[in-house]
Amino acid sequence: YHFSEQMIDGYVRRWITYVPRTYLSAQAEAPLVVVSHGYSASMYALAEESHLADVADKYGFIVVFPQGYLNERVDGPFVPVPTWNSGLFQIGAPETDDVSFIRQVIDLTKANYKIDGSRVYGTGHSNGGSMTWLLSRKLTGTFAAIAPIGYMSAGEDTDDMSLLVPSWSFKGEFDGDGMDISEGTNNRNVLEFWKRWNGVAGAQEQVA
């Protein structure tokens, strides 16, 4: 694990990079997986609880765990904890540009390690899941595929839909809307949006 701290867009930002044991001996460029923690969580907790280091060691990819910025908004249901400013989770001051932050982290990782730019992937849980959806929309062409967990997020008609964004979304029974994909639910709206984006409007859904 390598800890990084740098001033980005006027804020001190932090992230952890996990480099697998196989990286130094490998001749080929490594894939990169960007993993965003959930609301009130941290890069430290997710790095430990996800066991992605074990998977990275097995398959030879580098993992980046970026850290959300402290949300100073304390009204309503919000408390001062690390949060991604992902649209769904609108934080108060400071209003960090987390898309810019993660884009720069990806660029720095590519500069510091041998990364296969065609195999950069994104995932995240809850607030980090919504951040992953946002990154795929705003950084089109950066991610080969995404796999958000625990929250589904649609985009806007103004998004650039010229590039495909292969996606695999995971939800549990007690996530918002659960696994209900009936008309009018957020799940349904998101599915329809991303089917339009990827040109598979006639595809059928299956709930396991």
Side-chain angles (χ1 to χ4, degrees):
Y1 289 99
H2 302 271
F3 176 84
S4 298
E5 179 179 279
Q6 185 167 322
M7 185 73 72
I8 294 180
D9 296 336
Y11 299 100
V12 176
R13 304 306 302 259
R14 301 177 176 89
W15 64 96
I16 295 172
T17 306
Y18 182 77
V19 181
R21 298 179 179 88
T22 55
Y23 173 77
L24 292 177
S25 60
Q27 299 299 316
E29 295 176 326
L32 172 64
V33 179
V34 180
V35 187
S36 303
H37 63 77
Y39 175 74
S40 81
S42 73
M43 59 183 182
Y44 306 105
L46 189 56
E48 178 184 12
E49 295 168 1
S50 66
H51 295 282
L52 272 169
D54 297 333
V55 185
D57 281 337
K58 182 176 181 180
Y59 293 103
F61 59 85
I62 289 176
V63 191
V64 165
F65 301 91
Q67 177 64 48
Y69 206 81
L70 179 66
N71 176 15
E72 296 178 0
R73 177 177 171 182
V74 293
D75 60 304
F78 297 97
V79 293
V81 292
T83 311
W84 295 111
N85 197 8
S86 63
L88 167 69
F89 291 77
Q90 289 286 357
I91 67 175
E95 295 184 354
T96 53
D97 184 345
D98 287 327
V99 172
S100 173
F101 163 52
I102 293 180
R103 175 185 57 77
Q104 292 182 66
V105 168
I106 292 173
D107 289 344
L108 287 166
T109 306
K110 288 179 176 179
N112 293 329
Y113 301 96
K114 296 181 297 183
I115 300 296
D116 183 347
S118 68
R119 292 192 293 168
V120 178
Y121 304 94
T123 187
H125 172 250
S126 191
N127 179 207
S130 68
M131 190 66 213
T132 302
W133 288 112
L134 180 64
L135 290 168
S136 71
R137 292 167 42 216
K138 299 303 182 183
L139 302 179
T140 53
T142 297
F143 294 94
I146 59 170
I149 302 167
Y151 189 85
M152 297 184 68
S153 177
E156 302 170 350
D157 291 337
T158 55
D159 290 330
D160 177 9
M161 300 184 187
S162 61
L163 294 176
L164 298 180
V165 181
S167 55
W168 188 9
S169 182
F170 295 83
K171 291 202 71 182
E173 181 180 356
F174 299 106
D175 291 323
D177 276 346
M179 295 181 287
D180 184 2
I181 59 172
S182 59
E183 199 69 30
T185 62
N186 181 65
N187 291 338
R188 165 57 58 185
N189 293 337
V190 173
L191 284 171
E192 294 301 325
F193 176 84
W194 287 100
K195 283 161 60 176
R196 290 197 307 273
W197 185 305
N198 288 316
V200 290
Q204 298 296 310
E205 305 87 15
Q206 181 176 358
V207 178

